[in-house]
Amino acid sequence: MKKPISKAKRLSKKDQLLGMLRRKNGASIAEMMKATGWQEHTVRGFLSATIRKKLGLNLCSDEATGSKRRYHVA
């Protein structure tokens, strides 16, 4: 039987996405969808409402190879 992961060790979805956005190469919408299980419109809403408005972070996006847009916090 597996031991349950304590709440202290488990990251919230918000924390997971912030970590992904703080990486050097950032994250794509598809990567964020896979990490959270959210739909595309929910990820976009999170970026707009939480990252930009509530947290006041500067969200940047770059078009990488293969025309996939990648987002990162500057």
Side-chain angles (χ1 to χ4, degrees):
M1 179 179 239
K2 288 185 178 181
K3 291 182 180 178
I5 297 173
S6 70
K7 288 184 181 182
K9 292 182 182 180
R10 194 173 32 182
L11 291 176
S12 67
K13 290 180 182 182
K14 174 184 163 184
D15 292 334
Q16 287 177 346
L17 292 184
L18 279 172
M20 293 174 76
L21 292 170
R22 288 187 171 129
R23 295 185 306 202
K24 181 181 177 182
N25 63 345
S28 68
I29 295 285
E31 290 172 343
M32 290 184 269
M33 288 171 57
K34 185 176 180 181
T36 60
W38 292 345
Q39 294 183 6
E40 184 175 354
H41 67 276
T42 307
V43 172
R44 290 184 187 280
F46 171 82
L47 294 175
S48 175
T50 302
I51 299 297
R52 287 187 173 156
K53 293 179 184 174
K54 288 184 181 177
L55 298 177
L57 298 174
N58 186 18
L59 183 67
C60 301
S61 66
D62 300 319
E63 196 166 331
T65 57
S67 70
K68 289 253 184 178
R69 187 160 295 278
R70 301 200 55 91
Y71 297 87
H72 65 278
V73 175

